[in-house]
Amino acid sequence: AMRDREAYQLAYEEKKDLTGGRRLEEVQPFLQVDEWIEEVEAEDAEGVRRLLEENYTTAPGRRLRTLFLRKELQLLYRAKNGNILDDKALQDIQAIEEGFRTLPGVRNLCYTRITSESKRFLCDPGISLVAMAFPTQSSSSQGRAFLEFTWDGMGRDLVPPAAVLAYMKTAAEYGDSSRTSRRYFPKTWTYPDVGDFQAESAMPDAARTKFSYHLTLGQNGDPVSQVNANIGKTKEEWNKLITTEMLPYFHKVQSEQVEFYYASTDIDSIEINSTLFNDLLMAIGSIAFVILYLRIHTGGWVVSISSFLIIFISVPLAYIMTPAAKATIASFLSVFLITGIGCDVVFVFTDFWEQGHKLPMESRVMWMIVHGGESCLATSMTTALSFFANLASALQPLREFGMFMGLCVMCAFFLVLLMIPPLLVAIERRKEMVKLRVVDISSGQGVAAYEEKKKKKKDGVMNALLFHLMNGIARCPCMVVLTTFVFFITAAVGVVVTAKLSTGVPDIFPPSHNQVANKAVLDLFSTEANLQYPAPSSGLICNADTVNGTDTGNCQLHWCEAVSDGLGSTTTTSTGLTSQMSCWRSPTLKLDGSTKISIGYSTEGCWDVNIYARVAMEQVSNAAFNRTLVLALEDELGPAGYTHLPPSVSSLRPLIVEKWEDGSVEAVKFWQARTFTATAPFRGQVDVRNTTEDLCELHVLCFKEEGYQCGISGWKRLGSAAYPLARRLSPVFAPFSRQLQGELVTQTVPTPVDVTVIWGIRSARSTPLVGPPSEFWSYDPNFVPQNPWAQRAIRNMCSGLTKNLKVFRAKCWISLFETYLNQQNKRFPSRTFDGDVIGWYYSNTVEAQAHLWFQDRKVIACKLQFLVNVGIYVPSSQGLLYMKEWDSFVEGKNAVASMTANRAWHTASIWVRSEAEVAIIGSTIDTIIIATCSGWAGVFLFTGDLWLAVIVTCVVIVVITGLAFYISCIMAWSIGPIEVISLVVFVGYSVTYALHIAHNYNQMRDSDKDLLEAEAKVRKRKMARAKAQAARKRAAAAAAGADEDLEDLQAAVQLDLPEQELRLEDITFTPAQLREARTRVAVLHVGGATLSSALSTAGSSAFLLLCTLTIFVKLGGVVVAVTVLSILGAIVTLPAALMLVGPAPDAWYKQKVRRLLQMLMGGKAQDQEPLLDSDLGSPSPKDPSELY
């Protein structure tokens, strides 16, 4: 998947248009999520006459278009009380958006850079709930309306949420796509029925506002260089606006009612880059700490600064030597790792330099290089070998990082080996010159005092600390080993119980950061298609009655004041239906031309009365409304008859009934009956036709009896108080809806995946172990689109899409090409493909440039794109299962395709991520095992002792298990790529400290002078403690007046023995004493350097904990944790194990190997004749000076 994706991206970058010039990168609208160029009608066609190339004007039906760069921004809100339509929440949202839209740069961008009036509404007010909740209200001059709402979000009065939702719901039902609930509210929430808006439990808890900026770049006839220059300039201005105005404003936003988030790919990139730069400043603190600690340990600024520079040089040197295709984020970790490993080498060299202070200069240098170099070579090669074990990983980036770190370790060692000795010699010679000129007059000893002071430097605080630590461990090594074993079992069980695999892409910011917190809110919403037509900018609010007209085409809502209480007191029957209806009538109006004259409530002088009736109720049917209205008219007028009965009922925009006293409202569905006529004579009239009688009209409003009813001045009840509704039929109005046909699905994810199917391009056939392949991609000579069967195969790929593929939009250029051929009265497939496709290219340049590769005016490669309803953050396991669906689909199409087009393949970004996550987690155990075995092999290679290598490997396993326990249990992190890299990489790092101790332990012999001196010191202290204990017993017995028993007599004898000088040559060892002595001296030799290395590594990595990016914080915590565990394992656990079961200088298995080798070589097995490297030559010298 990685090879295919890289081949596609590189081929797309190098793709050329028909003229051989580079295509516009942003013309392709789906390559990037929220950044593309689209074509719209040019506003000034007369000013745009430059063409892309020759013959462009001959293309039939060509229209000039304007190129735009679209930038999008989403503002997300989540109500803290669970109701985003709460008045206070809406007021806070309005304040936030009004402040944002009035920012100088944002306003200038919207009204200066956006030249299309049809697109300006997308940035002011944007697709925003606030626009409907806070419209600007003005009086209307139209008779039937009394208010006009301008949906700009700049009003001072909040429209009741029930009215807002009623308007948005009905507008969406009437086909206004800008008012659908998914654009503003979570995808799982839909508009409730009108009349149910008072139930707060049904209210949404989140809302979204979307701003789109269509920034003009030029026309598609402009030169490519000019458009590219405009693209760069526009991006720069946009990024500057984000940095200088948007982000500072967003960071200052505070709200007591809502949680505020923002989302934009550009903002995400800028925040990442800015945060990364700030985090990198923490490296200054790390550098300062390392240099300071080097100064403390080495005692000189020159050595410390020079050592750091020498160590740091190993990073670029190793990078040059590593054949890596690109650097990864893990390369940043190498700086901290190599700091600790390099400092370890420096500390060992400088410690051996100090230990040989009594030697002549040349001998001292040789002593340091031989002993320090041998010890550091062993640890460096073993550590490098463990890093090289990552070459077994399934991921090339991890293989390259393992090789890179291994080379870093070896480069650091050789640089220190080559540069530190001459540097120390130069500094020492300068000290000698200064020493000769400095004499301590007060002491009178001069140089002698200086030498004595220097000699005491060997027994510093570090050595004293380590000496006491070894004595403490020697008293109870079993307890240390047992405690380590219990820790190992606990950690292993904890890891098994609590470890869980991470799903999706790891967050690089902490949970409280906007980029992480907004994901949970953003996932609530779906991604809606871009609006093709402007949203309504204004709407009329009409009276409920029909006195001033019946035309309701521009009425968005009907409004009236309530005449009675009872909001929420509606009573219903057992079936849930409204039980009664009451109607109100207007005064009778006599028509005199275009003038209406009120004649009161009588029908005197009226021959026929036109009835204009409306009803406010959840649902109504023709039969029920007709029966009830006729009953009311019979009671009120008593007409002789009716014409045009039964009246048909049609839906209107909702009616908002407002209670003026407290502003509460009730939204109800509103219906209008077709006009019908009540004929004379009416009750009280004589049935004589009089030609002088006039035509009259009567207006009626009916309501459910139990709810709010409109109180219109001058109106009265029609008939009696109320009329029962015996039955109700299905509503006559069906909500507007539209469903996608075929196998396409509906888009619901906010960030859909783009699956691309490609012909004519071949990716690299294999991935090398490290480094780039010989070729990343090439054209496929077997693809021949001129063949009619190849064209059929491409078209066939766009058909038969199943729901398992989850495609919601297919971008098939071949279908457009087929349509073009039909318009030209030609058949598909084309036998003159080259000429026909060029003609289509000129008629549909954007699609052709995005999907076709040309060479010598011939198509040599092409692609199809499918937008699928799968998010880019889908878990890797689901991503792989979904990839298999596309594997089956494409393979099935290839199986029936012609040989000229049967090598299609598909690619998507989630294929790469899913394969990478599964591979890196799946190969973790294998890589850890290989790295651990490599560490064991390295220890065995340099110590020649199988058992010692096993002991060190066990310590490394405990350290790695402890690190896994820290990750999964203590920090409760899911096991993802970062955690896996940490576990794999630090196998090599954790072996370093333990190997130092083991290597020096292996070199110790019972005749070594350092070992004898340390043992003498220990035995003297034991003797002193025994005498002190005997003295305390004797004093206690004397104070008690008791007789001395045998034990007291022995203590008295011990107390009276004179102190004698313990000669080194008289010291003898039991096997246990020898193991203890060898362990103690090994720790004293290199323990100080090892501990200093651990402190410098942990100290420098601690600055990572202050970073913002999660990856740095995690890596910093992991480095500190593994350093602490490694140093504890090296100077606590390993010494205890060596004291208990450490190998003898000439262990039995070494003797067995010698005998076996000698037998194979035809010699005699002689135990006294050593064969291994450690036993060749004379015993170790008792003093460094004896080496020379």
Side-chain angles (χ1 to χ4, degrees):
M2 187 179 296
R3 290 197 303 269
D4 291 345
R5 190 66 179 176
E6 192 169 28
Y8 164 64
Q9 291 175 338
L10 292 175
Y12 189 82
E13 289 176 2
E14 299 184 20
K15 184 161 72 72
K16 300 180 180 180
D17 60 18
L18 188 59
T19 62
R22 288 291 178 87
R23 90 284 180 263
L24 301 178
E25 292 186 11
E26 289 82 357
V27 165
Q28 209 313 90
F30 301 117
L31 185 61
Q32 300 180 14
V33 176
D34 67 346
E35 179 177 303
W36 59 85
I37 289 180
E38 65 176 15
E39 283 192 324
V40 298
E41 290 291 341
E43 295 179 347
D44 185 9
E46 296 297 326
V48 186
R49 293 302 179 189
R50 287 171 297 186
L51 307 178
L52 282 175
E53 56 181 275
E54 67 276 9
N55 300 326
Y56 198 85
T57 56
T58 63
R62 180 188 184 276
R63 298 184 299 172
L64 295 174
R65 296 177 181 270
T66 302
L67 293 174
F68 288 94
L69 180 65
R70 179 184 299 153
K71 295 294 183 180
E72 294 184 347
L73 171 66
Q74 297 184 76
L75 303 185
L76 309 171
Y77 310 94
R78 196 165 197 171
K80 296 180 179 180
N81 65 355
N83 180 14
I84 199 64
L85 295 176
D86 180 75
D87 292 357
K88 293 183 179 180
L90 289 174
Q91 290 170 2
D92 280 6
I93 295 175
Q94 188 210 24
I96 293 172
E97 294 189 8
E98 184 177 350
F100 171 74
R101 288 157 51 196
T102 55
L103 292 174
V106 174
R107 190 163 185 82
N108 177 70
L109 187 73
C110 189
Y111 285 89
T112 303
R113 291 299 308 277
I114 300 178
T115 59
S116 174
E117 291 291 341
S118 63
K119 298 294 183 182
R120 187 167 292 146
F121 80 96
L122 293 172
C123 66
D124 190 7
I127 307 301
S128 171
L129 176 64
V130 165
M132 277 75 74
F134 291 90
T136 299
Q137 304 180 19
S138 59
S139 300
S140 174
S141 59
Q142 302 185 39
R144 66 184 181 280
F146 70 99
L147 277 179
E148 182 176 6
F149 281 1
T150 301
W151 315 113
D152 57 2
M154 302 300 290
R156 297 298 95 189
D157 297 325
L158 171 65
V159 177
V164 174
L165 294 182
Y167 157 67
M168 297 175 69
K169 175 180 173 62
T170 53
E173 290 176 343
Y174 276 90
D176 185 355
S177 60
S178 67
R179 300 299 188 239
T180 57
S181 63
R182 287 175 174 266
R183 294 192 183 274
Y184 305 90
F185 302 109
K187 55 191 175 186
T188 57
W189 187 85
T190 57
Y191 293 125
D193 289 336
V194 176
D196 294 338
F197 295 132
Q198 300 302 323
E200 292 190 2
S201 59
M203 292 298 181
D205 65 342
R208 171 179 63 180
T209 297
K210 186 175 182 179
F211 297 100
S212 296
Y213 301 88
H214 293 65
L215 308 177
T216 306
L217 298 173
Q219 283 68 38
N220 65 349
D222 290 346
V224 175
S225 58
Q226 178 181 334
V227 177
N228 283 333
N230 291 340
I231 291 173
K233 181 179 178 181
T234 302
K235 288 182 178 179
E236 182 179 353
E237 292 175 353
W238 171 255
N239 292 337
K240 182 179 180 181
L241 179 62
I242 291 175
T243 304
T244 58
E245 289 193 10
M246 290 187 181
L247 283 178
Y249 176 77
F250 292 154
H251 293 162
K252 292 189 299 183
V253 168
Q254 293 183 350
S255 172
E256 296 181 356
Q257 304 298 324
V258 297
E259 299 172 0
F260 170 70
Y261 308 100
Y262 50 90
S264 169
T265 301
D266 298 292
I267 291 181
D268 291 350
S269 300
I270 290 175
E271 282 190 327
I272 290 174
N273 292 334
S274 175
T275 306
L276 180 61
F277 176 78
N278 293 332
D279 286 352
L280 289 178
L281 295 179
M282 295 296 174
I284 298 176
S286 298
I287 294 172
F289 177 85
V290 172
I291 294 177
L292 179 61
Y293 195 86
L294 283 168
R295 166 65 179 82
I296 295 174
H297 188 92
T298 61
W301 286 110
V302 176
V303 177
S304 60
I305 297 175
S306 301
S307 299
F308 178 80
L309 295 177
I310 292 171
I311 296 169
F312 188 79
I313 290 174
S314 63
V315 176
L317 186 60
Y319 183 77
I320 294 174
M321 298 170 61
T322 304
K326 62 184 72 174
T328 62
I329 191 67
S331 300
F332 182 80
L333 177 63
S334 65
V335 176
F336 294 90
L337 292 180
I338 201 62
T339 297
I341 296 174
C343 287
D344 176 66
V345 178
V346 171
F347 292 148
V348 171
F349 270 76
T350 55
D351 281 5
F352 275 105
W353 176 259
E354 292 298 329
Q355 292 173 16
H357 67 279
K358 295 188 295 183
L359 299 174
M361 185 65 69
E362 293 79 4
S363 302
R364 187 179 182 184
V365 172
M366 184 63 68
W367 165 266
M368 176 185 65
I369 292 178
V370 169
H371 290 79
E374 182 182 359
S375 177
C376 292
L377 178 62
T379 56
S380 297
M381 290 194 66
T382 304
T383 304
L385 191 62
S386 297
F387 280 120
F388 287 144
N390 289 282
L391 293 172
S393 174
L395 289 183
Q396 188 189 52
L398 192 55
R399 296 198 299 267
E400 292 178 346
F401 178 73
M403 185 174 186
F404 170 63
M405 276 305 305
L407 292 176
C408 276
V409 172
M410 295 310 302
C411 287
F413 168 73
F414 284 111
L415 288 174
V416 172
L417 179 64
L418 294 175
M419 296 183 181
I420 288 296
L423 178 65
L424 293 175
V425 170
I427 294 174
E428 188 65 25
R429 286 179 176 174
R430 187 177 183 279
K431 287 182 178 179
E432 292 292 337
M433 295 177 62
V434 174
K435 179 180 64 176
L436 295 176
R437 297 196 301 265
V438 176
V439 177
D440 189 353
I441 301 177
S442 61
S443 63
Q445 298 178 3
V447 176
Y450 181 87
E451 291 289 348
E452 184 65 22
K453 181 179 179 181
K454 181 178 178 181
K455 182 178 179 180
K456 292 181 179 179
K457 188 183 295 184
K458 182 177 180 180
D459 296 326
V461 177
M462 189 74 74
N463 277 353
L465 176 64
L466 294 174
F467 186 84
H468 289 293
L469 177 63
M470 290 303 102
N471 289 339
I473 294 175
R475 295 191 186 99
C476 52
C478 292
M479 184 60 66
V480 174
V481 174
L482 181 60
T483 302
T484 303
F485 179 76
V486 172
F487 168 76
F488 171 74
I489 296 299
T490 303
V493 173
V495 171
V496 172
V497 173
T498 63
K500 56 182 179 179
L501 295 180
S502 175
T503 58
V505 179
D507 295 322
I508 63 174
F509 285 99
S512 60
H513 194 276
N514 173 78
Q515 288 199 28
V516 177
N518 70 4
K519 288 182 180 179
V521 183
L522 195 60
D523 288 342
L524 298 176
F525 298 89
S526 63
T527 300
E528 297 298 303
N530 295 314
L531 294 175
Q532 300 299 322
Y533 304 98
S537 60
S538 62
L540 296 177
I541 309 301
C542 299
N543 292 303
D545 62 87
T546 54
V547 173
N548 294 320
T550 59
D551 182 14
T552 60
N554 293 329
C555 293
Q556 303 302 319
L557 288 174
H558 296 85
W559 206 288
C560 70
E561 293 182 21
V563 71
S564 65
D565 296 332
L567 182 63
S569 63
T570 301
T571 59
T572 58
T573 64
S574 59
T575 60
L577 305 179
T578 304
S579 58
Q580 290 184 322
M581 181 178 75
S582 61
C583 298
W584 295 73
R585 58 158 291 181
S586 70
T588 306
L589 301 176
K590 182 179 291 188
L591 301 181
D592 184 8
S594 60
T595 304
K596 298 180 180 181
I597 302 173
S598 174
I599 60 173
Y601 299 109
S602 71
T603 55
E604 188 68 30
C606 297
W607 181 249
D608 290 334
V609 178
N610 291 335
I611 308 298
Y612 299 92
R614 290 180 175 179
V615 58
M617 197 169 292
E618 289 83 357
Q619 290 181 337
V620 70
S621 67
N622 291 345
F625 181 61
N626 176 59
R627 181 176 55 256
T628 305
L629 183 58
V630 168
L631 287 175
L633 289 173
E634 290 289 345
D635 292 344
E636 181 73 19
L637 302 179
Y642 302 94
T643 61
H644 308 299
L645 277 179
S648 60
V649 180
S650 60
S651 65
L652 298 174
R653 298 299 176 98
L655 172 65
I656 307 300
V657 186
E658 180 182 15
K659 185 178 181 182
W660 186 256
E661 289 78 4
D662 59 9
S664 59
V665 300
E666 182 181 57
V668 64
K669 291 182 179 180
F670 207 30
W671 311 84
Q672 178 173 278
R674 188 185 65 182
T675 304
F676 65 100
T677 303
T679 59
F682 299 97
R683 184 180 297 114
Q685 284 184 325
V686 180
D687 188 11
V688 177
R689 182 174 299 275
N690 188 341
T691 57
T692 61
E693 296 293 336
D694 296 321
L695 180 64
C696 299
E697 64 181 39
L698 180 66
H699 300 270
V700 178
L701 283 177
C702 297
F703 304 89
K704 57 182 179 181
E705 176 64 20
E706 299 82 1
Y708 275 173
Q709 300 182 14
C710 291
I712 302 177
S713 177
W715 287 38
K716 75 179 190 70
R717 284 188 179 271
L718 178 67
S720 62
Y723 295 89
L725 289 174
R727 63 187 181 93
R728 289 168 57 194
L729 304 177
S730 301
V732 299
F733 175 75
F736 172 82
S737 63
R738 183 177 63 182
Q739 297 181 349
L740 293 174
Q741 302 297 321
E743 296 295 329
L744 298 182
V745 300
T746 303
Q747 179 187 0
T748 58
V749 298
T751 52
V753 171
D754 161 23
V755 178
T756 305
V757 180
I758 302 168
W759 288 265
I761 293 174
R762 295 185 301 188
S763 61
R765 299 183 181 181
S766 62
T767 301
L769 189 65
V770 292
S774 56
E775 68 172 13
F776 288 96
W777 68 279
S778 61
Y779 289 115
D780 184 2
N782 296 308
F783 176 60
V784 185
Q786 293 77 12
N787 188 302
W789 285 102
Q791 299 170 43
R792 294 187 181 101
I794 298 173
R795 182 182 62 176
N796 188 39
M797 193 68 71
C798 288
S799 63
L801 299 173
T802 63
K803 288 187 177 180
N804 291 338
L805 299 179
K806 302 181 181 180
V807 177
F808 69 84
R809 184 177 181 184
K811 197 76 171 177
C812 295
W813 67 269
I814 195 71
S815 300
L816 300 177
F817 176 64
E818 182 179 2
T819 302
Y820 168 79
L821 290 178
N822 293 334
Q823 293 173 350
Q824 302 298 314
N825 297 321
K826 297 181 179 180
R827 292 191 306 170
F828 179 89
S830 173
R831 292 188 178 276
T832 57
F833 178 79
D834 291 334
D836 291 337
V837 79
I838 290 176
W840 173 73
Y841 176 93
Y842 291 133
S843 66
N844 203 327
T845 308
V846 172
E847 291 293 333
Q849 281 188 339
H851 294 88
L852 300 180
W853 279 256
F854 285 93
Q855 193 173 77
D856 298 329
R857 300 180 66 83
K858 292 184 178 181
V859 176
I860 58 174
C862 68
K863 68 174 183 177
L864 303 176
Q865 282 189 291
F866 302 91
L867 289 182
V868 298
N869 192 43
V870 175
I872 60 176
Y873 301 112
V874 68
S876 56
S877 57
Q878 297 180 20
L880 288 181
L881 292 176
Y882 182 60
M883 184 177 71
K884 291 180 180 179
E885 295 287 345
W886 277 95
D887 288 339
S888 301
F889 175 75
V890 175
E891 288 173 2
K893 296 296 184 180
N894 283 336
V896 297
S898 165
M899 293 181 61
T900 56
N902 66 348
R903 297 187 180 183
W905 50 276
H906 60 91
T907 180
S909 59
I910 63 168
W911 300 170
V912 180
R913 180 178 59 79
S914 298
E915 277 194 352
E917 289 183 1
V918 172
I920 194 173
I921 294 174
S923 62
T924 299
I925 298 178
D926 295 340
T927 306
I928 290 178
I929 292 174
I930 295 174
T932 304
C933 293
S934 299
W936 177 88
V939 176
F940 174 69
L941 177 66
F942 286 97
T943 62
D945 196 302
L946 291 170
W947 181 242
L948 186 60
V950 170
I951 295 175
V952 173
T953 304
C954 291
V955 173
V956 171
I957 293 175
V958 172
V959 171
I960 297 302
T961 306
L963 179 61
F965 179 77
Y966 167 81
I967 291 174
S968 61
C969 295
I970 298 179
M971 302 306 297
W973 294 339
S974 299
I975 305 299
I978 298 175
E979 291 74 21
V980 168
I981 290 174
S982 301
L983 291 172
V984 172
V985 166
F986 289 115
V987 173
Y989 180 74
S990 60
V991 75
T992 303
Y993 302 146
L995 181 55
H996 273 305
I997 307 299
H999 183 264
N1000 275 268
Y1001 173 88
N1002 188 65
Q1003 289 185 325
M1004 289 296 105
R1005 297 294 182 270
D1006 56 1
S1007 59
D1008 188 273
K1009 184 178 180 180
D1010 288 341
L1011 183 145
L1012 296 174
E1013 288 179 348
E1015 183 64 20
K1017 184 177 180 180
V1018 170
R1019 294 188 179 185
K1020 287 180 180 180
R1021 292 193 176 189
K1022 288 182 178 179
M1023 186 178 297
R1025 284 197 299 271
K1027 288 186 176 182
Q1029 184 179 6
R1032 288 194 297 271
K1033 281 191 174 184
R1034 192 174 194 180
D1043 295 332
E1044 295 182 347
D1045 55 13
L1046 180 60
E1047 183 178 356
D1048 294 335
L1049 291 175
Q1050 292 176 348
V1053 172
Q1054 181 72 20
L1055 181 63
D1056 294 333
L1057 289 176
E1059 184 173 352
Q1060 298 179 355
E1061 183 68 24
L1062 184 61
R1063 296 186 304 172
L1064 299 183
E1065 56 271 18
D1066 296 335
I1067 297 178
T1068 58
F1069 299 94
T1070 64
Q1073 290 176 334
L1074 181 58
R1075 290 195 299 270
E1076 178 183 333
R1078 294 174 69 193
T1079 302
R1080 180 184 298 107
V1081 176
V1083 172
L1084 292 177
H1085 272 182
V1086 294
T1090 303
L1091 185 58
S1092 294
S1093 173
L1095 290 174
S1096 64
T1097 304
S1100 63
S1101 301
F1103 287 89
L1104 285 174
L1105 302 177
L1106 305 177
C1107 293
T1108 302
L1109 294 179
T1110 305
I1111 183 173
F1112 292 158
V1113 176
K1114 283 188 175 182
L1115 290 176
V1118 168
V1119 172
V1120 172
V1122 75
T1123 302
V1124 172
L1125 291 172
S1126 297
I1127 195 63
L1128 290 177
I1131 65 175
V1132 177
T1133 302
L1134 181 60
L1138 292 176
M1139 290 178 185
L1140 286 177
V1141 294
D1146 189 21
W1148 62 269
Y1149 47 84
K1150 292 183 180 181
Q1151 299 175 18
K1152 295 291 185 181
V1153 171
R1154 283 202 303 272
R1155 293 194 186 101
L1156 178 61
L1157 291 177
Q1158 288 179 351
M1159 290 176 61
L1160 293 176
M1161 297 174 63
K1164 295 182 179 180
Q1166 297 181 3
D1167 292 342
Q1168 68 274 15
E1169 296 180 2
L1171 183 62
L1172 297 180
D1173 293 342
S1174 60
D1175 295 325
L1176 291 175
S1178 60
S1180 301
K1182 298 182 180 180
D1183 188 90
S1185 59
E1186 296 183 16
L1187 183 63
Y1188 311 100

